[in-house]
Amino acid sequence: MNTTASTITAAPHIPVLIVGAGQAGLSLSVYLQQRGIGHLLLEKHTPMHAWRHQRWDNFCLVTPNWQCKLPGHEYAGDAPHGFMKKKEIIAWLDAFLLKVNPPVRTGVTVKLVQPRAEGGYLVQTSVGDYTADQVVVSSGGYHLPIVPRLAERLPRGILQIHSEQYRNAEQLPPGEVLVVGSGQSGAQIAEDLHLAGRRVHLAVGDAPRCARCYRGRDVVDWLADMGYYDMPVDKHPLREGVRDNTNHYVTGRDGGRDIDLRTFATQGMKLYGLLRELDDAGGTLKFDDTLASALDRADQTYNGINAAIDQHIAKLGLDADGALPPASVYEPVWQPQAVDASGVSPHTELDLAAQGISAVVWCIGFQPDFAWVQAPVFNGRGQPVHQRGVTGQPGLYFLGLPWLYTWGSGRFSGVARDAMYLAEQIEGARGGAGLGEWQRQGELVG
Ligand SMILES: Cc1cc2nc3c(=O)[nH]c(=O)nc-3n(C[C@H](O)[C@H](O)[C@H](O)COP(=O)(O)OP(=O)(O)OC[C@H]3O[C@@H](n4cnc5c(N)ncnc54)[C@H](O)[C@@H]3O)c2cc1C
């Protein structure tokens, strides 16, 4: 593959091009502005598109408000231990956007980023070419919605959507709903439908879960005290493998609470193992017999986190609620039915017509799409190889990815730290040069 491009003389030159104007791109803009480094954000849609257009109506943060710490824009409301709802998140982000007032061009899709033989980068976009000394990819961590090919064989009458298209129960036709995937989105969408009175069938994956509150405080508060959110990826027991972990399911809804799939089952939700196949007739879905082990593992994680909090409390001799060791271990309130002699259980088969399934919501995640970054910086799975966002290709950076540096890198809590670090790297690579010639030419885009 040719990873260099020849000189494009007509293309405008920008010192630092930032691809994507979400919270990551805007955070970097703050620190580049402070350093007087000329830059331009290119945004396919409008700033904060994902928060405005890819979240369901009843969405609320899973992370507590006090963790919303963008540069110069910390949450300042009266509910630091609450969880902002979608409208509040957007209002808070709009206020950030106003403060940052970034140099941004909206409605511009970056189609190619490529190193040039003479140094710097060629950046091809939907509105023409640019060249840049340095490029930062802050295009988010959730690109191509994953939907299995099996979906093409489902009966035509069943509406199928991906989690990023889900808005509310009314959007779906009357009938029962299959939600596939029980990570943060799947578990919360299943709950949303369940609370709206819909009969939900949930294919349970390998996502772990954690308590919302334990020993009188939000678990996030305990983990913060325990230093978890400052742990860099290279100190995590899984090292970079942690980037592939599925998020724990828990919710901030109604002030925050656990999500317990076993309790949902006692209330009528139908649970299944991992989705495996559709039968030849195209009417019955088959699931692996993994439900019991998946629920058990999720509970083990839940209890394990609580036990770690107990240890922390004991070690420091803290005065915490429920201080009656051992940990208040979660005891399962419901157990799946075992498979019978023919290898079938209520959790391994779903007859779509008999159950009146009218819709499927795919909640099995996203694939990265960095095909437009034509530089030798990717691993075998298409993920960038980097140290704190700095790649081996001088002047090419990534920002905003999950566990880029810490747990909070892909969230509101850690992106500021990463953005500041990259701003320092960018400044260093420029030899401390600020706006310089570029500004004098009056090219700053407002
Ligand atoms: C369902 C869900 C729930 C979440 N809940 C929380 C939570 O409770 N707390 C928390 O802190 N975080 C949460 N997050 C994580 C994180 O805060 C969001 O994913 C956030 O949107 C990431 O910001 P970002 O700027 O890195 O990426 P994005 O917000 O995805 O922004 C990237 C931008 O790049 C643009 N773009 C992409 N490709 C191109 C291109 N080729 N050319 C030009 N522009 C391009 C996109 O249009 C987009 O606007 C959640 C994420 C999801 C998906």
Side-chain angles (χ1 to χ4, degrees), residues 11 15-16 40 50 63 82 95 141 150 161 165 212 223 258 271 286 316 375 422 446:
V16 181
L40 174 66
T63 50
L150 168 159
I161 57 172
Q165 298 164 303
R212 180 77 273 171
L223 293 178
D258 289 6
L271 304 184
K286 311 260 183 167
L316 298 190
L422 280 197

Side-chain angles (χ1 to χ4, degrees), residues 18-26 42-51 54-56 59-64 67-68 83 89 105 108-112 138-143 163 184-185 188 247 366 369 372 399-401 407-415:
I18 301 173
V19 186
Q23 69 216 27
L26 292 185
L42 300 175
E43 167 55 51
K44 194 193 305 200
H45 302 288
T46 54
M48 309 298 182
H49 174 82
W51 287 109
Q54 290 171 354
R55 306 283 183 265
W56 53 95
F59 180 91
C60 63
L61 291 178
V62 169
T63 50
Q67 279 199 327
C68 293
F83 306 89
I89 301 165
R105 284 198 70 180
V108 176
T109 301
V110 173
K111 299 187 161 184
L112 178 80
S138 56
S139 59
Y142 307 95
H143 300 139
S163 60
Q184 255 183 29
S185 294
Q188 289 178 77
N247 289 324
F366 299 80
D369 178 17
W372 47 274
L399 181 63
L401 297 177
W407 176 90
S409 289
R411 298 176 167 90
F412 287 131
S413 64
V415 70

Side-chain angles (χ1 to χ4, degrees), residues 105-436:
R105 284 198 70 180
T106 57
V108 176
T109 301
V110 173
K111 299 187 161 184
L112 178 80
V113 170
Q114 196 172 46
R116 298 192 309 157
E118 55 273 65
Y121 290 85
L122 166 68
V123 178
Q124 291 181 341
T125 81
S126 53
V127 297
D129 295 353
Y130 290 90
T131 59
D133 299 328
Q134 306 192 61
V135 174
V136 181
V137 179
S138 56
S139 59
Y142 307 95
H143 300 139
L144 304 175
I146 298 175
V147 175
R149 295 298 302 263
L150 168 159
E152 297 160 22
R153 292 171 45 229
L154 285 179
R156 280 171 174 263
I158 295 180
L159 176 79
Q160 298 185 51
I161 57 172
H162 191 266
S163 60
E164 71 168 22
Q165 298 164 303
Y166 175 74
R167 295 293 168 269
N168 53 52
E170 294 76 50
Q171 161 197 22
L172 307 180
E176 305 195 1
V177 184
L178 170 64
V179 176
V180 183
S182 57
Q184 255 183 29
S185 294
Q188 289 178 77
I189 288 172
E191 184 193 50
D192 193 49
L193 290 160
H194 181 67
L195 295 178
R198 301 296 283 266
R199 165 68 77 85
V200 176
H201 301 252
L202 177 65
V204 177
D206 60 1
R209 74 184 189 109
C210 71
R212 180 77 273 171
C213 251
Y214 186 64
R215 304 285 297 263
R217 295 172 80 204
D218 195 299
V219 163
V220 170
D221 293 18
W222 285 122
L223 293 178
D225 286 0
M226 291 156 69
Y228 185 70
Y229 301 123
D230 292 321
M231 181 199 297
V233 62
D234 57 0
K235 294 281 182 305
H236 194 280
L238 297 175
R239 302 291 189 276
E240 293 179 1
V242 71
R243 291 177 179 151
D244 297 328
N245 273 12
T246 314
N247 289 324
H248 300 69
Y249 58 85
V250 59
T251 183
R253 191 157 169 170
D254 301 329
R257 57 169 173 255
D258 289 6
I259 291 187
D260 182 1
L261 303 184
R262 296 183 197 266
T263 301
F264 287 157
T266 66
Q267 297 166 354
M269 192 182 287
K270 299 284 181 193
L271 304 184
Y272 303 84
L274 280 174
L275 177 58
R276 189 178 67 239
E277 60 179 331
L278 182 64
D279 71 349
D280 290 345
T284 300
L285 286 168
K286 311 260 183 167
F287 302 85
D288 289 335
D289 183 26
T290 48
L291 178 61
S293 58
L295 293 175
D296 286 349
R297 267 199 313 275
D299 290 343
Q300 275 162 19
T301 306
Y302 181 101
N303 287 327
I305 294 170
N306 290 350
I309 294 171
D310 285 334
Q311 277 173 17
H312 169 77
I313 291 168
K315 195 167 139 200
L316 298 190
L318 300 176
D319 184 17
D321 283 2
L324 285 175
S328 47
V329 173
Y330 172 82
E331 297 289 351
V333 295
W334 176 89
Q335 290 290 1
Q337 229 171 286
V339 291
D340 62 20
S342 64
V344 174
S345 88
H347 315 297
T348 57
E349 280 197 8
L350 170 58
D351 181 330
L352 296 163
Q355 292 293 329
I357 301 290
S358 65
V360 176
V361 187
W362 297 105
C363 302
I364 49 178
F366 299 80
Q367 273 180 343
D369 178 17
F370 295 117
W372 47 274
V373 182
Q374 289 287 319
V377 295
F378 293 96
N379 65 18
R381 288 175 301 114
Q383 295 281 11
V385 177
H386 61 85
Q387 292 290 330
R388 290 190 77 169
V390 180
T391 73
Q393 186 77 40
L396 182 61
Y397 311 90
F398 286 80
L399 181 63
L401 297 177
W403 275 100
L404 184 104
Y405 179 54
T406 61
W407 176 90
S409 289
R411 298 176 167 90
F412 287 131
S413 64
V415 70
R417 170 165 46 192
D418 295 353
M420 181 184 280
Y421 179 77
L422 280 197
E424 286 164 0
Q425 303 305 306
I426 289 168
E427 185 174 39
R430 293 175 59 75
L435 285 172

